[in-house]
């Protein structure tokens, strides 16, 4: 028999917004927040960044004064943009490294021995 995993009850977007409001989170535009939460994962937006905005002086889960849902969205967007830029830089670095290694290898093998067989790279 498969082990049961604890799960949380399904909450509508509206219910999630009400929970956030009960934790003192503010909203500039609740309709826009609903659209954001329909398009993006709630847990990626809220849970991913809430430790930055939680009031640690309280035992209950409550956000710092003047914390807005839009801050979560800005952090989420910044994180996604930063990740995309880092991946692009890593990809560019990887391509340059591969090209450089390939060029230097060919220069060493074929530059020193123009008659080297084309499969010289297989010989360690």
């Amino acid at each position: 028999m498969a082990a049961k995993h604890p799960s949380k009850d399904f909450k509508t977007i509206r219910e999630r917004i009400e929970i956030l409001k009960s934790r003192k989170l503010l909203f500039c535009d609740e309709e826009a927040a609903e659209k954001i939460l329909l398009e993006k994962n709630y847990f990626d937006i809220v849970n991913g960044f809430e430790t930055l905005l939680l009031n640690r002086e309280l035992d209950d889960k409550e956000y710092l004064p003047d914390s807005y849902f839009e801050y979560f969205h800005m952090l989420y967007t910044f994180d996604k943009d930063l990740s995309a830029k880092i991946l692009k830089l890593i990809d560019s670095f990887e391509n340059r490294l591969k090209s450089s290694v390939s060029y230097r290898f060919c220069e060493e093998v074929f530059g020193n021995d123009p008659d080297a067989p084309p499969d010289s790279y297989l010989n360690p």
Side-chain angles (χ1 to χ4, degrees):
M1 179 178 243
K4 283 193 168 192
H5 297 286
S7 64
K8 294 186 176 187
D9 293 335
F10 171 79
K11 301 276 190 267
T12 65
I13 299 296
R14 173 65 18 218
E15 288 171 324
R16 289 179 184 194
I17 287 174
E18 292 305 319
I19 290 169
L20 293 171
K21 286 168 63 176
S22 75
R23 296 175 180 166
K24 308 289 190 238
L25 189 67
L26 304 171
F27 291 79
C28 291
D29 185 342
E30 286 186 34
E31 284 184 32
E34 285 183 29
K35 289 178 184 175
I36 289 167
L37 291 172
L38 280 171
E39 294 172 1
K40 298 177 176 77
N41 186 302
Y42 172 89
F43 295 98
D44 288 347
I45 293 177
V46 177
N47 291 14
F49 301 102
E50 75 179 356
T51 56
L52 299 172
L53 297 173
L54 280 175
N55 190 342
R56 295 190 179 132
E57 295 176 5
L58 302 174
D59 291 332
D60 292 335
K61 199 175 208 182
E62 191 173 297
Y63 298 101
L64 294 167
D66 298 321
S67 291
Y68 286 84
F69 172 82
E70 288 74 12
Y71 297 167
F72 283 99
H73 189 241
M74 287 188 301
L75 287 166
Y76 172 86
T77 302
F78 172 77
D79 181 62
K80 290 295 180 192
D81 290 347
L82 182 61
S83 293
K85 287 177 181 175
I86 289 171
L87 288 173
K88 186 175 180 179
L89 288 170
I90 290 171
D91 183 59
S92 175
F93 172 77
E94 179 185 11
N95 285 332
R96 285 185 287 152
L97 180 62
K98 287 178 181 178
S99 294
S100 180
V101 167
S102 174
Y103 178 82
R104 295 299 177 197
F105 173 81
C106 290
E107 179 183 50
E108 179 67 27
V109 172
F110 301 111
N112 290 331
D113 183 4
D115 297 324
D119 63 352
S120 293
Y121 68 91
L122 296 174
N123 183 354

